[in-house]
Amino acid sequence: MGIRFILLVNKQGQTRLAQYYEYLTLEQRRALEGEIVRKCLARTEQQCSFVEHRNYKVVYRRYASLFFLVGVDNDENELAILEFIHLLVETMDRHFGNVCELDIMFHLEKAHFMLEEMVMNGCIVETSKQNILTPIQLMDKAS
Amino acid sequence: MGSQGGWGQSKEFLDLVKSIGEARSKAEEDRIVLNEIEMLKRRINEPDIPKKKMKEYIIRLVYVEMLGHDASFGYIHAVKMTHDDSLLLKRTGYLAVTLFLNEDHDLIILIVNTIQKDLKSDNYLVVCAALTAVCKLINEETIPAVLPQVVELLGHQKEAVRKKAIMALHRFYQRSPSSVTHLISNFRKRLCDNDPGVMGATLCPLFDLISADVDSYKDLVTSFVSILKQVAERRLPKSYDYHQMPAPFIQIRLLKILALLGSGDKQASEHMYTVLGDIFRKCDSSSNIGNAVLYECICCVSSIHPSPKLLDSAAEVTSRFLKSDNHNLKYLGIDALRRLMKVNPDIAEEHQLAVIDCLEDPDDTLKRKTFELLFKMTKSTNVEVIVDRMIDYMISINDNHYKTEIASRCVELAEQFAPSNHWFIQTMNKVFEHAGDLVNVKVAHNLMRLIAEGFGDDDEGTDNQLRSSAVESYLRILSEPKLPSMFLQVICWVLGEYGTADGKFSASYITGKLCDVAEAHPSDDIVKAYAVTAIMKICAFEIAAGRKVELLPECQSLIDELSASHSTDLQQRAYELQAVLGLDGHAVESIMPADASCEDIEVDKSLSFLNSYVQQSLEKGAQPYIPENERSGILNISNFRNQDQHESSAHGLRFEAYELPKPSITLRTPAPAPAVSSTELVPISEPTYPKETNQAAKLSTVTDTGATELKLRLEGVQKKWGKPTYSTPVPSTSSSNLKTTNGVNQLGQATLSSHSRDVSYDSKRPQAEISPEKQKLAASLFGGSSSKPDKKPQSTSHKTSRLGNPASEKPQVATASAATTELAPQKTAPVQTPPPDLLDLGEPTVGDTIPSIDPFKQLEGLLGPPDVSSSTNSGTVSVTQPPDLMALYGDSSLSGVSSSISNLVPTNLDSMNLVSSSSSAADHGGSKVALSASLKKGPNPQDSLEKDSLARQLGVTPSIQNPNLFRDLLG
């Protein structure tokens, strides 16, 4: 399936965005987020951006105070996922302009809409920033 | 910035977000959220809430759930919002619903109608929103409700709709493949869509389809290759570029697909060679994304039918990854190495140092990846070092999931390559001691079986030795405080079977130990059962040997305790033990013959030995046994015929009770006499002595232990313990070949090697870092020496002293550094001293040609116990050693070394061209800089100021508490 979840967590371990591509109960999500964030926060800059967790891998990347965590299956190309995270940030940046944690918090639904355009069924389906942002811009205009 | 307005958020919402953003602890956050929940519960059910306000409430519900609290009280409002006419509200409603509900939630049924309606909408954005929801919410049952509409939308004029429709079909395929089997052709059709986005998305379902059934899609190979070619040639719109890379994510998916299609298919693979070669050549190796594509290329090349040229390119990229300072690239390098090793087992040798570095790295991720590689390259010559390393690591971690995995790998390797029984048992002891409860039960059974059967040699002596060494080690281990249950079971079983076999330990000593085990684990019934059975065996052997058994007081009290146990199994065992104690030697010997666990057991399923007894009973007027099938037949008939006849149906009732008889009941039916009921267990244990068994049965001593033993053995049988395969590295005759090869190398490559050495050792790693320990480790990993790296510090001094000998140095440097050169051209700083690297593994082979045998012999002495291969070869040391050390270069053989050298040289030259033609920025440390530079956004002070002022207007001021909230992510 590829991507299992995408999480945005700040360095205090608070979730800022969570999108799961397989169903987990609230408790499972809570536990998973706690475990993974603890693992990733404990790592240094020099170490790999990949962490094994149970039977899948977490690819993470830090931007200022925010961690972007993507859980993927074991056969996924980790480096490509790492770049996918960057593409997501670039896309947000294009839309918000110098995107920061608060932008995502204030516009949680927009951040989700972008993800919905980019990832479906756990697969990366769209990587053109223009294509990702067009529907959101159209909605902006309409409302 | 325009986006800040327009979505009009209330002060209330901004305050909420602000307070969440500034919460310092989870507890504070929870408090805020709980207040919010109370507030929402009150407000959300008020009548006539304006739509905008409702949307905000819904988003706040999303926050509540995201922060780990239940928001189910508001789900219905999210569902209602999907009905709204406004696109933004509708989409927000769908979003909330997909976040809240799983596909089996009851509320889904309320949404299906809305989805159906929206799929027909004229506004393509509404259709898209509905399709997105379809992907998340439609389950197997509701697929038919939307399927026709989704299929229709595959031909929609808007590419965004086509793309989402194809993904919806993909979802249906994931949920229920059979629901779309008649629609597979649509996926093929969409592959040729003139919009690259639709085409790219179609690759996702096609990848799944092809993984499930490769053969049906071979015809698409040429299409995929041509698409990949076009993408690589930048034929797609610029907007798909990412960091100057043309549509890398599409390239990667195509490469994954090609890897599937080309696997084991020469013809298909040949179509791919050109385009793969192009990508290797063109790909920008200075950016992360370029390396991601290159890595995918390596995966593809290692999966398809091998092409030497492509494998060379792949090896080249791999070695660049491994030499990088960037851990991510190292990680990929290790993985690439593992993949390439499947095609070319020799490839790892060039990268010994890099592999060792990764193994020693404090980074767990890298370490684990390296273990994966080591696991794949284990052979009988290096199994000891690798498994030792794995066990050390296994002990050091807490993560049970990985512990289980690595424990099972250790077991697998040990079973496959164990150099000796003794080592195997020691290794298994360690695995059990530290991960006992995590390993598969079969492993325990295998171990017991090994100890019982030995290696199947005819030599009883070695088997006995093995057993006594196992017994001794177990008695020692028993003093450890906490042992896993599974391990204790093994220990008890072995002590019971062989504790007194060699006469070293007295029966009372062993039973005392076993009592201790049982007492120390009052809550573990299985261990207690094993212990008491073991005690029974010990006693039985004693009685059979004609010695008198004096039960220890603690043993007696254990029996008393177990006789009153809640567990009937334990009770039974305790009573059996007592019964055995009251028997005479002859009877005991037949119940519990010594060392009989290996006897083959024939199960007499017809229970023919009971015939005479049955006959007797029948003569006395007992009811004959009616087989089960006949019985049910009677039942049916009686039901049919006599449904209204009370008497016969009452008669039928009797049968109904037996309708689903358990096997034991079947056995019992012919034998109403209680004495016989116990026989059901007996005959299985000793078919060779049917008479005695009957006798035992009459005495109503049930040898349940026999049964347990049986179970153990039978379960373990599945996995065949492999005999150790000693790789006989090189026939001694070929040593002359070796000499000549080396000679040639020395002459022919002297110049090259000196040059390449300079270059390669300069790269990143100052040679002082290459500690002698690492070399030794490398030697033992990649070669055959079984010496432990840290134990013999003295031996290192020999190494260094030998390194002074340039004549012996050169050829090896040539081998390894040839591979290392490609990184090199930019770096030319010379190195003063030749670095001690693992290549001195190969050294002794050279030392053979050179009359410097002395250090070698000294080393030999230092190494202590002779290694496996030398002992198996059983020749004199001087004869066996050279081939053994040759194995350092892999288990290949002599030819491997010489060929690898000759192969490497052209590669090397080739690579130099490549490197110089590609960008000189091979420094991956700088790739991140390049990335952020390419963004050209940087921290724009004006933007930030504006944003800040806006935030202030809205009443959100950046407080000291969390100034990070305002820091640009890309800043």
Side-chain angles (χ1 to χ4, degrees):
Chain A
M1 168 155 120
I3 297 175
R4 297 187 178 211
F5 58 79
I6 296 175
L7 287 176
L8 270 61
V9 182
N10 72 3
K11 64 175 198 261
Q12 284 88 32
Q14 297 160 316
T15 310
R16 291 294 170 249
L17 183 148
Q19 178 64 270
Y20 290 83
Y21 297 95
E22 60 187 346
Y23 181 73
L24 294 179
T25 63
L26 215 56
E27 290 73 36
Q28 286 169 327
R29 293 179 187 200
R30 240 184 136 143
L32 178 125
E33 285 167 28
E35 279 174 56
I36 291 179
V37 170
R38 235 173 294 129
K39 263 192 189 174
C40 292
L41 287 177
R43 295 173 65 82
T44 65
E45 293 272 334
Q46 288 78 41
Q47 294 184 324
C48 299
S49 314
F50 323 128
V51 186
E52 277 179 38
H53 185 77
R54 305 194 183 195
N55 50 345
Y56 51 84
K57 275 178 299 202
V58 178
V59 179
Y60 70 94
R61 197 157 178 164
R62 186 182 163 169
Y63 293 88
S65 59
L66 257 198
F67 282 86
F68 286 66
L69 310 159
V70 180
V72 293
D73 283 338
N74 273 320
D75 50 1
E76 202 63 35
N77 184 328
E78 294 92 341
L79 202 56
I81 297 294
L82 193 67
E83 289 311 287
F84 168 75
I85 294 176
H86 195 70
L87 174 67
L88 172 63
V89 174
E90 282 182 10
T91 310
M92 288 179 172
D93 203 61
R94 180 184 282 193
H95 184 72
F96 293 114
N98 293 331
V99 64
C100 69
E101 190 177 334
L102 260 190
D103 287 323
I104 296 167
M105 293 182 76
F106 280 142
H107 304 284
L108 189 63
E109 72 276 28
K110 277 195 194 178
H112 269 292
F113 293 158
M114 286 180 210
L115 270 184
E116 281 183 348
E117 297 296 327
M118 295 174 82
V119 182
M120 293 180 89
N121 310 343
C123 304
I124 300 173
V125 291
E126 187 56 77
T127 52
S128 150
K129 285 176 205 136
Q130 194 187 316
N131 289 359
I132 297 165
L133 293 177
T134 306
I136 295 160
Q137 284 155 359
L138 287 175
M139 255 191 289
D140 265 355
K141 273 184 207 152
S143 63
Chain B
M1 293 301 297
S3 58
Q4 289 276 1
W7 296 54
Q9 290 143 325
S10 70
K11 172 93 168 54
E12 211 177 48
F13 177 73
L14 297 176
D15 281 343
L16 170 71
V17 169
K18 186 186 148 205
S19 61
I20 291 172
E22 288 178 353
R24 306 295 307 266
S25 65
K26 187 73 193 156
E28 194 183 333
E29 188 189 275
D30 283 346
R31 223 168 22 245
I32 297 167
V33 177
L34 288 173
N35 280 336
E36 179 68 15
I37 292 174
E38 282 313 304
M39 206 280 295
L40 284 174
K41 271 186 183 164
R42 266 198 325 271
R43 297 253 213 100
I44 206 162
N45 289 319
E46 286 171 8
D48 299 331
I49 299 171
K51 284 179 179 174
K52 273 229 167 103
K53 192 79 197 161
M54 190 48 122
K55 180 197 160 229
E56 202 178 288
Y57 286 153
I58 301 286
I59 301 290
R60 286 154 82 165
L61 286 174
V62 171
Y63 258 103
V64 167
E65 285 242 320
M66 184 176 82
L67 297 173
H69 298 264
D70 178 51
S72 52
F73 62 88
Y75 288 175
I76 188 69
H77 298 281
V79 173
K80 272 191 214 153
M81 183 154 277
T82 61
H83 304 326
D84 202 284
D85 292 331
S86 149
L87 173 63
L88 179 60
L89 297 189
K90 183 183 277 295
R91 191 149 182 204
T92 307
Y94 275 133
L95 171 70
V97 170
T98 56
L99 290 171
F100 292 150
L101 309 181
N102 72 329
E103 56 178 37
D104 297 321
H105 199 281
D106 295 339
L107 289 175
I108 297 285
I109 208 72
L110 297 177
I111 304 167
V112 173
N113 236 329
T114 321
I115 291 179
Q116 280 178 324
K117 203 177 93 225
D118 288 345
L119 287 176
K120 288 182 201 138
S121 169
D122 293 335
N123 184 342
Y124 87 96
L125 289 173
V126 171
V127 181
C128 284
L131 283 170
T132 309
V134 163
C135 284
K136 289 283 189 68
L137 300 174
I138 295 296
N139 62 16
E140 207 178 329
E141 283 167 36
T142 38
I143 288 175
V146 292
L147 186 60
Q149 280 169 300
V150 171
V151 173
E152 203 176 303
L153 290 171
L154 287 172
H156 199 275
Q157 52 168 351
K158 276 283 181 186
E159 59 279 353
V161 174
R162 294 201 298 275
K163 181 174 70 189
K164 288 193 156 64
I166 208 85
M167 290 315 282
L169 275 195
H170 178 217
R171 188 50 163 191
F172 299 159
Y173 174 76
Q174 287 177 332
R175 284 276 160 278
S176 153
S178 59
S179 66
V180 291
T181 35
H182 58 294
L183 298 166
I184 299 291
S185 62
N186 286 295
F187 293 117
R188 289 163 169 268
K189 238 184 269 167
R190 283 303 128 211
L191 185 64
C192 312
D193 198 288
N194 49 19
D195 179 75
V198 181
M199 180 276 295
T202 312
L203 296 175
C204 303
L206 279 174
F207 177 79
D208 284 5
L209 287 165
I210 293 170
S211 328
D213 174 20
V214 183
D215 292 331
S216 310
Y217 297 89
K218 294 282 186 188
D219 57 309
L220 287 179
V221 171
T222 44
S223 312
F224 288 127
V225 168
S226 94
I227 294 172
L228 182 56
K229 193 157 171 286
Q230 293 178 47
V231 174
E233 286 172 356
R234 301 182 177 276
R235 301 272 193 82
L236 293 196
K238 272 270 175 249
S239 68
Y240 284 92
D241 281 12
Y242 174 79
H243 296 181
Q244 283 82 52
M245 193 73 186
F249 296 96
I250 292 179
Q251 285 195 43
I252 286 170
R253 199 161 286 280
L254 280 166
L255 286 167
K256 275 189 195 294
I257 291 176
L258 290 183
L260 289 176
L261 288 170
S263 170
D265 184 339
K266 189 163 181 241
Q267 206 191 343
S269 301
E270 277 165 356
H271 285 295
M272 307 168 190
Y273 290 161
T274 326
V275 71
L276 290 174
D278 283 352
I279 295 176
F280 268 124
R281 238 188 342 273
K282 281 190 205 158
C283 215
D284 168 23
S285 60
S286 63
S287 68
N288 264 344
I289 193 66
N291 285 322
V293 173
L294 280 173
Y295 165 73
E296 204 59 57
C297 263
I298 298 175
C299 298
C300 182
V301 164
S302 62
S303 159
I304 63 175
H305 185 85
S307 138
K309 214 173 137 218
L310 289 176
L311 283 174
D312 283 349
S313 311
E316 202 179 289
V317 175
T318 304
S319 85
R320 194 168 51 71
F321 284 170
L322 284 170
K323 273 170 214 142
S324 163
D325 267 351
N326 182 331
H327 271 55
N328 291 340
L329 290 186
K330 275 193 185 176
Y331 175 91
L332 294 188
I334 293 280
D335 192 66
L337 204 55
R338 182 178 61 89
R339 289 168 188 272
L340 289 174
M341 255 185 45
K342 280 183 217 150
V343 190
N344 172 17
D346 299 332
I347 191 169
E349 288 136 38
E350 299 161 18
H351 305 292
Q352 303 175 12
L353 257 197
V355 172
I356 303 289
D357 271 350
C358 293
L359 189 63
E360 313 244 291
D361 201 280
D363 187 344
D364 259 3
T365 310
L366 206 49
K367 204 176 257 187
R368 288 179 188 188
K369 203 73 194 172
T370 315
F371 276 124
E372 254 175 62
L373 171 70
L374 291 183
F375 177 68
K376 286 276 185 264
M377 53 181 264
T378 306
K379 45 201 174 217
S380 53
T381 47
N382 57 13
V383 63
E384 292 170 75
V385 192
I386 290 179
V387 171
D388 273 359
R389 283 260 158 181
M390 284 184 164
I391 290 178
D392 285 349
Y393 182 64
M394 185 187 80
I395 294 169
S396 74
I397 56 172
N398 293 320
D399 173 357
N400 271 354
H401 185 269
Y402 194 70
K403 221 173 191 167
T404 314
E405 199 177 309
I406 200 164
S408 69
R409 284 186 174 172
C410 286
V411 171
E412 198 182 324
L413 290 180
E415 291 189 345
Q416 228 178 325
F417 298 110
S420 68
N421 292 358
H422 183 77
W423 179 85
F424 179 77
I425 288 185
Q426 294 302 321
T427 306
M428 297 313 266
N429 286 353
K430 276 191 233 160
V431 172
F432 274 113
E433 204 176 328
H434 298 286
D437 291 327
L438 301 172
V439 293
N440 196 316
V441 189
K442 273 188 197 156
V443 175
H445 296 160
N446 269 347
L447 178 60
M448 290 189 254
R449 198 154 55 89
L450 170 78
I451 294 173
E453 289 181 349
F455 268 111
D457 297 338
D458 293 330
D459 188 3
E460 264 300 303
T462 38
D463 286 353
N464 284 335
Q465 223 179 341
L466 170 76
R467 288 164 192 161
S468 20
S469 83
V471 167
E472 270 175 56
S473 66
Y474 289 157
L475 286 172
R476 202 168 45 242
I477 287 168
L478 272 183
S479 57
E480 304 270 331
K482 265 194 89 176
L483 291 172
S485 169
M486 182 113 65
F487 192 32
L488 285 167
Q489 294 164 29
V490 176
I491 291 179
C492 288
W493 187 84
V494 172
L495 289 182
E497 283 287 325
Y498 304 110
T500 54
D502 62 355
K504 220 183 260 177
F505 302 102
S506 71
S508 62
Y509 178 73
I510 301 283
T511 46
K513 283 281 182 190
L514 288 166
C515 285
D516 291 345
V517 172
E519 272 165 31
H521 300 87
S523 56
D524 192 337
D525 279 0
I526 303 175
V527 167
K528 280 201 280 190
Y530 268 88
V532 73
T533 303
I535 292 173
M536 172 155 62
K537 281 187 221 165
I538 298 283
C539 294
F541 299 155
E542 286 297 295
I543 295 169
R547 285 187 287 266
K548 201 167 161 6
V549 177
E550 288 283 342
L551 266 196
L552 299 168
E554 69 247 44
C555 195
Q556 190 57 55
S557 67
L558 176 71
I559 295 173
D560 294 343
E561 181 207 320
L562 294 188
S563 314
S565 166
H566 285 299
S567 156
T568 49
D569 176 61
L570 287 177
Q571 262 191 42
Q572 171 133 356
R573 284 168 200 264
Y575 282 122
E576 283 165 20
L577 170 52
Q578 277 174 319
V580 167
L581 290 175
L583 292 176
D584 66 273
H586 178 66
V588 169
E589 198 178 359
S590 51
I591 309 167
M592 305 228 88
D595 193 18
S597 58
C598 298
E599 304 291 328
D600 283 332
I601 282 124
E602 287 170 36
V603 179
D604 184 358
K605 280 188 181 157
S606 66
L607 309 181
S608 55
F609 54 89
L610 284 174
N611 284 350
S612 60
Y613 179 83
V614 172
Q615 200 58 42
Q616 271 178 25
S617 301
L618 283 176
E619 276 163 18
K620 283 181 197 157
Q623 288 276 327
Y625 173 66
I626 304 162
E628 199 183 328
N629 46 358
E630 288 174 34
R631 236 181 310 161
S632 54
I634 288 171
L635 176 68
N636 284 342
I637 293 160
S638 66
N639 275 350
F640 262 59
R641 260 200 230 138
N642 315 313
Q643 255 175 351
D644 40 1
Q645 289 176 14
H646 262 272
E647 205 188 69
S648 45
S649 64
H651 187 68
L653 268 179
R654 247 189 69 140
F655 285 106
E656 261 168 18
Y658 292 88
E659 205 171 26
L660 289 169
K662 288 178 192 145
S664 59
I665 296 173
T666 329
L667 283 170
R668 204 167 283 179
T669 343
V676 189
S677 71
S678 57
T679 35
E680 61 191 80
L681 283 169
V682 181
I684 314 160
S685 79
E686 272 309 1
T688 26
Y689 306 96
K691 233 173 155 187
E692 281 91 339
T693 349
N694 265 338
Q695 188 188 345
K698 272 172 200 153
L699 289 161
S700 83
T701 58
V702 184
T703 53
D704 184 44
T705 47
T708 26
E709 281 171 32
L710 277 185
K711 268 186 234 150
L712 289 174
R713 282 183 29 75
L714 289 173
E715 279 174 58
V717 172
Q718 291 180 339
K719 222 172 186 180
K720 186 69 192 135
W721 158 261
K723 286 195 85 176
T725 49
Y726 297 111
S727 74
T728 43
V730 182
S732 55
T733 45
S734 55
S735 63
S736 58
N737 282 342
L738 166 68
K739 285 176 198 168
T740 51
T741 331
N742 275 331
V744 170
N745 288 334
Q746 272 179 356
L747 294 173
Q749 299 182 334
T751 48
L752 173 71
S753 64
S754 64
H755 166 69
S756 52
R757 192 206 306 151
D758 285 354
V759 185
S760 58
Y761 289 118
D762 173 45
S763 66
K764 323 286 186 207
R765 212 174 293 116
Q767 32 115 332
E769 276 177 30
I770 305 164
S771 65
E773 277 87 28
K774 276 189 191 167
Q775 299 168 36
K776 291 287 268 177
L777 177 62
S780 38
L781 284 179
F782 292 87
S785 162
S786 62
S787 61
K788 301 262 160 58
D790 35 2
K791 274 186 191 162
K792 287 101 190 172
Q794 278 169 296
S795 64
T796 58
S797 66
H798 288 289
K799 295 239 151 169
T800 33
S801 70
R802 271 181 297 148
L803 283 170
N805 183 350
S808 66
E809 259 281 311
K810 269 175 198 162
Q812 295 110 31
V813 175
T815 0
S817 57
T820 44
T821 353
E822 59 251 30
L823 230 203
Q826 335 123 2
K827 297 166 187 177
T828 42
V831 182
Q832 280 81 15
T833 47
D837 74 340
L838 19 140
L839 307 172
D840 69 326
L841 328 164
E843 194 180 306
T845 47
V846 181
D848 216 34
T849 61
I850 296 161
S852 61
I853 288 163
D854 263 2
F856 185 80
K857 274 195 173 165
Q858 279 171 293
L859 180 69
E860 174 71 11
L862 286 165
L863 289 175
D867 54 344
V868 187
S869 46
S870 67
S871 64
T872 45
N873 284 352
S874 74
T876 59
V877 178
S878 58
V879 175
T880 47
Q881 206 64 20
D884 181 30
L885 282 157
M886 270 314 295
L888 299 174
Y889 279 112
D891 63 345
S892 53
S893 61
L894 274 180
S895 58
V897 175
S898 53
S899 69
S900 74
I901 292 168
S902 53
N903 280 343
L904 279 167
V905 180
T907 322
N908 179 24
L909 294 172
D910 225 354
S911 70
M912 300 231 283
N913 291 339
L914 244 183
V915 174
S916 55
S917 67
S918 70
S919 75
S920 61
D923 184 8
H924 309 292
S927 63
K928 272 182 188 159
V929 182
L931 281 182
S932 50
S934 71
L935 261 178
K936 287 182 187 153
K937 279 232 159 187
N940 181 340
Q942 201 188 342
D943 262 10
S944 303
L945 275 177
E946 272 177 45
K947 190 180 287 182
D948 193 57
S949 65
L950 185 81
R952 277 170 209 276
Q953 274 174 24
L954 293 167
V956 188
T957 42
S959 65
I960 317 126
Q961 281 189 311
N962 198 350
N964 280 324
L965 286 172
F966 286 89
R967 207 195 294 162
D968 295 344
L969 294 178
L970 287 164

